[in-house]
Amino acid sequence: SNVSLASLTSSGTGATGIISLASTASTTATGAGGGTGRTFPEKMMDLMSQTTDPTLPTYSPSVNWLPHGKSFIISDPDTLVNTILPRYFPKSSKFKSFTRKLYRWGFRQISKGPDSGSYYHELFQRDHPELCVKMSVHYSDKELRTQADNAARRGGAGGGAAASGGGGSGT
């Protein structure tokens, strides 16, 4: 499945379960680099703005915008996971979990062309940070079933993790 930036900008992602930010309490979290109510894309935008500017003390060459500002590349996953992510996402301790979260929020990794290896989302752009608040979290059918099963086990009548605001790692 070769994906280029051009093909992503002209087609949808085909996600199964889409949950809007306004109706899902589990998509927000408290923690370093964000505070209560900040979504994953908002925290990610904070991370990108604070780690890609060489004039800031938080600069790190481990993650960078591509010159056009429409996708970013992770050049040093170890530094990202061990140094940067704990500041913004205290519960993300593994690179695989972090990339899974990127995919859940609709990011796609470019696999061909000059932007190969970078992560792209049409609403996540360096020069338009205000767009990221329009992003939605996408759960697969399997994830939605697991959430419902977990809510039922907790006795969560009428809602589950999203409605009760409890647990989950949707951030």
Side-chain angles (χ1 to χ4, degrees):
S1 74
N2 289 333
V3 181
S4 69
L5 183 57
S7 69
L8 284 172
T9 56
S10 63
S11 66
T13 60
T16 312
I18 300 174
I19 299 176
S20 96
L21 298 179
S23 66
T24 308
S26 69
T27 61
T28 61
T30 55
T36 304
R38 307 269 303 158
T39 63
F40 175 78
E42 289 173 301
K43 289 181 183 183
M44 191 64 200
M45 189 60 75
D46 290 344
L47 181 154
M48 293 300 297
S49 66
Q50 294 172 17
T51 60
T52 60
D53 182 347
T55 65
L56 296 176
T58 51
Y59 170 75
S60 173
S62 61
V63 59
N64 286 292
W65 288 107
L66 291 187
H68 51 64
K70 293 184 179 183
S71 64
F72 64 91
I73 193 150
I74 299 168
S75 56
D76 186 352
D78 290 335
T79 299
L80 180 72
V81 168
N82 296 321
T83 306
I84 297 171
L85 289 184
R87 281 189 251 154
Y88 298 89
F89 309 104
K91 295 180 182 177
S92 289
S93 61
K94 296 179 181 168
F95 186 69
K96 190 169 185 170
S97 296
F98 175 71
T99 56
R100 210 173 19 245
K101 196 173 292 188
L102 286 172
Y103 290 125
R104 188 177 296 131
W105 278 91
F107 287 89
R108 294 296 171 250
Q109 189 170 24
I110 308 300
S111 58
K112 66 179 183 179
D115 301 331
S116 181
S118 68
Y119 291 88
Y120 167 81
H121 190 291
E122 66 181 333
L123 297 174
F124 195 82
Q125 300 178 23
R126 177 187 57 213
D127 298 330
H128 298 285
E130 72 282 359
L131 294 176
C132 77
V133 298
K134 297 178 181 181
M135 293 172 68
S136 298
V137 65
H138 304 251
Y139 290 100
S140 68
D141 287 339
K142 181 180 178 183
E143 288 173 311
L144 291 171
R145 281 191 303 273
T146 300
Q147 287 179 0
D149 291 346
N150 290 342
R153 276 195 286 278
R154 286 190 305 268
S164 68
S169 60
T171 58

